Amino acid sequence: MSKNHARRRTAITSTSPCPCGLGRPYGECCGSFHRGRASAPTAERLMRSRYSAFAVGDVAYLLRTWHPSTRPAALDLEPEQHWTRLEILGSTGGSAFHNEGTVAFRAHFVLGGYEDSQYENSRFVRDGGQWVYLDALPDTGPTSGG
C-alpha cells in the first residue's frame, strides 16, 4: 500500500488522548471530524484536527479539508515522521461569526531520531459553510528548530 493511501500511522484508538492537545479522547475530539460525524466549528479546531490527521496518517481527511483551489492532487506523508506536540501561537478571526481566519502554530515532530518543529501561519476560509485550509501566509514568524 502506498504512503498516500495509508489510513492510520500510529496506534491511536478512540480512547487515546487526541494528538491535538486538547486533552480529550481522540474519538470524542478530532476523531469525530476525521470520521465525518462532525465538522470543525472554528478555524483553530480545523487546524487542530488537521494536525491530528497528520499524526494518525489520515490523508483523505487532509485532502477533504483543503480548499479546492490550492489542494494538491495527492499527498504523501513521511512514514518515519512522528508528530509529538502542537502549540497554538495565535489566531485571527476564524470563529462562527467569520468567513476567514488564520492560525499560527508550531508542530513538533521526531524524524530520523532527531526532534524538530515546523512553524506555519495557516489561512482558513469557509467553503460551502465548512472551514477548509487555504494556504500558508508568507513566513514572518519564528524560525524552525527544536
Side-chain angles (χ1 to χ4, degrees):
M1 178 181 283
S2 70
K3 289 186 284 186
N4 62 334
H5 287 43
R7 175 87 178 139
R8 294 279 179 257
R9 296 160 46 101
T10 317
I12 294 178
T13 68
S14 63
T15 58
S16 298
C18 191
C20 80
L22 288 179
R24 296 172 49 204
Y26 171 72
E28 297 172 18
C29 196
C30 295
S32 65
F33 301 145
H34 296 171
R35 289 186 309 276
R37 293 185 179 165
S39 297
T42 66
E44 181 180 324
R45 288 293 284 128
L46 179 64
M47 196 266 114
R48 287 179 179 276
S49 71
R50 286 177 55 83
Y51 169 84
S52 291
F54 275 101
V56 302
D58 193 340
V59 171
Y61 181 78
L62 292 167
L63 293 173
R64 189 170 69 245
T65 58
W66 208 312
H67 193 274
S69 69
T70 56
R71 177 177 38 225
L75 184 62
D76 287 329
L77 302 181
E78 172 56 59
E80 299 303 316
Q81 190 170 28
H82 299 283
W83 297 96
T84 58
R85 183 168 55 99
L86 175 66
E87 289 179 82
I88 301 297
L89 304 173
S91 64
T92 63
S95 77
F97 304 106
H98 297 102
N99 287 317
E100 58 185 63
T102 66
V103 180
F105 67 92
R106 182 174 300 282
H108 297 263
F109 62 89
V110 175
L111 179 61
Y114 296 97
E115 294 182 18
D116 204 349
S117 65
Q118 173 185 330
Y119 169 83
E120 185 173 306
N121 192 3
S122 296
R123 190 164 50 149
F124 298 90
V125 296
R126 288 191 189 266
D127 183 48
Q130 305 296 312
W131 284 107
V132 292
Y133 170 77
L134 181 62
D135 58 15
L137 294 171
D139 187 9
T140 58
T143 58
S144 202

